Amino acid sequence: AAGTLLEWARVYDDRYGTPAAPVRDALAAGRDVLFDIDWQGARQLRRALAGDVVQLAILPPGLGELERRLRARGQDSPERIARRMAKAREEILHCREADHVIVNREFDHAVADARAVLRAARLATARQSGLEAFLSQLGA
């Protein structure tokens, strides 16, 4: 309510949020900020930082593989994994809201794809902060 969080959400019985000040400071300094958030947080970021968000959804190659990965990392109880799997299809459908979608079949390829999206986003006309000055130098 105080506006100190840029985004927040309740996900699988946990509460997550991102403090606004460090993000705004980083953006003002010309740095990129990468978020690992769910669709709820992504919607809030789009509202809070209109025009300056590139949303990338990263999907598992299949539900069976998702469950295998969740079990292999050993961070969640079997009950928590079951709850996540029960909501997985619903969560995955929100990928349609993203600007880009990567299916994480192989980690190194997924990372390369994410870097390509970021590189392209940096080259967007609207993000070229010195473009007008450069064009003036060219007489355009």
Side-chain angles (χ1 to χ4, degrees):
T4 59
L5 295 178
L6 195 56
E7 61 83 25
W8 64 273
R10 184 177 210 141
V11 182
Y12 304 113
D13 300 325
D14 293 318
R15 293 180 184 144
Y16 298 93
T18 304
V23 172
R24 293 191 190 282
D25 292 346
L27 293 174
R31 294 192 311 265
D32 296 317
V33 181
L34 181 66
F35 296 85
D36 179 8
I37 57 177
D38 80 326
W39 60 270
Q40 298 169 82
R43 281 182 179 174
Q44 292 175 54
L45 281 182
R46 282 190 181 273
R47 284 192 301 271
L49 303 171
D52 201 22
V53 172
V54 177
Q55 186 177 346
L56 173 61
I58 301 176
L59 303 179
L63 293 176
E65 178 63 9
L66 172 62
E67 185 170 0
R68 187 198 70 72
R69 290 176 183 181
L70 289 171
R71 291 187 189 286
R73 70 183 192 180
Q75 293 178 332
D76 297 320
S77 69
E79 295 78 23
R80 186 174 175 95
I81 291 172
R83 275 196 316 263
R84 289 189 66 168
M85 292 306 300
K87 291 193 71 149
R89 283 187 199 344
E90 177 187 334
E91 298 281 328
I92 288 170
L93 291 175
H94 288 280
C95 77
R96 292 184 175 110
E97 299 173 21
D99 301 305
H100 305 275
V101 176
I102 294 174
V103 177
N104 182 9
R105 291 182 182 90
E106 199 278 311
F107 181 75
D108 291 337
H109 291 187
V111 170
D113 289 343
R115 286 184 173 151
V117 168
L118 179 57
R119 183 170 170 81
R122 287 179 183 152
L123 297 173
T125 304
R127 288 193 168 83
Q128 298 288 325
S129 60
L131 183 60
E132 290 306 316
F134 177 73
L135 292 174
S136 293
Q137 289 176 354
L138 294 177

